[in-house]
Amino acid sequence: LLGYAGRLIAYNGAKPVMLFDTSDFNSLIWLGQCGYMFEMITFVVPIYETAIHKDSVFTIILAVSGTLMLMYLIIGYTTYLAFGDQTEEIALLNLPQGSIAGYVLPGLYAVSGALTIPINNFVVCLSYEPLVSWPSETLKRKWLKNLGRFALVSSIFAVTWLGGAQLQNFLGLVGGVLGMLLALVVPCLLHLSICKPAGLSRIFDYVTVVIGVQIMATSLYLSLSTWKA
């Protein structure tokens, strides 16, 4: 996708792009969509707990997160410069219909989703299953756990299907409310509660919590108020 967009810019030049829509506040919904990038933040604690060299975890996470954010920015800017106002909600839809790239890249994207979503579900199951009083019989316990996992996957499928028609609003709602909660608010609250920071570190935690809550409230309001029936 990046190569195709770069090729279009090289041959046709960059398209004019509105940097920020000031006609209303609906454009702020992108703040919530940014929070969706942090969907894998739930893996930080499990990775830290299982790491042999715990001192290097922070450096690794910082490097990986920085690289991913840079790639998001590069791909986003390049795509908008290539397609301008014709950029689709899903950038892969801008690929030529019927072309090899139009078939292969969306297929690879679907495969990556199919391979990564079970990892998220695995973390969810590990979170709630120890809290449930399962039967002592092995066979019954096994199938009840499988039934719970099936119900989890089915509910995710249903929510995705219902929100798919409003992708931008759906991403703003999920990313803004849940993503920012996990990425900004909860870590700072835990740091305040466990580490008892003082001085600038404590102030930084409180400021981050306030910003996170504001983004959550803004994303929730804009996602629901602009949701099309």
Side-chain angles (χ1 to χ4, degrees):
L1 178 60
L2 186 61
Y4 177 72
R7 184 170 176 270
L8 285 182
I9 295 174
Y11 280 95
N12 304 325
K15 298 289 183 67
V17 179
M18 182 183 296
L19 181 61
F20 193 78
D21 185 5
T22 58
S23 60
D24 52 44
F25 290 102
N26 292 343
S27 57
L28 289 177
I29 197 173
W30 70 270
L31 289 172
Q33 296 167 7
C34 290
Y36 192 77
M37 294 193 313
F38 297 96
E39 61 172 329
M40 304 297 285
I41 198 171
T42 52
F43 288 95
V44 172
V45 173
I47 290 174
Y48 180 82
E49 291 296 328
T50 57
I52 298 176
H53 304 287
K54 289 182 168 53
D55 294 338
S56 62
V57 172
F58 175 77
T59 303
I60 294 173
I61 291 177
L62 185 63
V64 172
S65 300
T67 302
L68 290 176
M69 291 178 67
L70 182 61
M71 290 300 299
Y72 272 116
L73 291 172
I74 292 175
I75 294 174
Y77 278 127
T78 305
T79 303
Y80 272 101
L81 289 176
F83 303 108
D85 295 336
Q86 301 301 315
T87 303
E88 298 286 349
E89 292 184 348
I90 300 178
L92 291 174
L93 296 178
N94 286 108
L95 294 171
Q97 299 296 319
S99 66
I100 296 178
Y103 286 116
V104 174
L105 293 182
L108 292 176
Y109 183 78
V111 170
S112 68
L115 295 177
T116 56
I117 288 177
I119 300 177
N120 289 331
N121 294 342
F122 178 70
V123 174
V124 173
C125 292
L126 288 181
S127 300
Y128 80 82
E129 286 183 354
L131 305 177
V132 179
S133 298
W134 302 103
S136 57
E137 297 87 345
T138 303
L139 185 62
K140 183 181 294 186
R141 180 173 66 252
K142 174 183 177 181
W143 282 105
L144 283 177
K145 286 186 176 181
N146 289 337
L147 181 61
R149 294 164 184 170
F150 176 77
L152 174 65
V153 175
S154 299
S155 62
I156 293 174
F157 173 80
V159 171
T160 305
W161 178 71
L162 292 173
Q166 301 289 332
L167 182 62
Q168 298 297 327
N169 298 72
F170 186 64
L171 291 180
L173 184 62
V174 174
V177 178
L178 301 179
M180 288 301 175
L181 178 66
L182 292 175
L184 299 180
V185 178
V186 172
C188 290
L189 292 178
L190 290 176
H191 186 247
L192 288 168
S193 177
I194 298 173
C195 300
K196 311 293 183 184
L200 291 177
S201 180
R202 187 176 185 84
I203 294 174
F204 179 79
D205 282 341
Y206 279 119
V207 171
T208 304
V209 170
V210 171
I211 293 175
V213 171
Q214 288 179 339
I215 294 177
M216 289 172 58
T218 302
S219 300
L220 178 63
Y221 171 75
L222 292 178
S223 298
L224 297 180
S225 63
T226 59
W227 196 286
K228 300 177 182 178

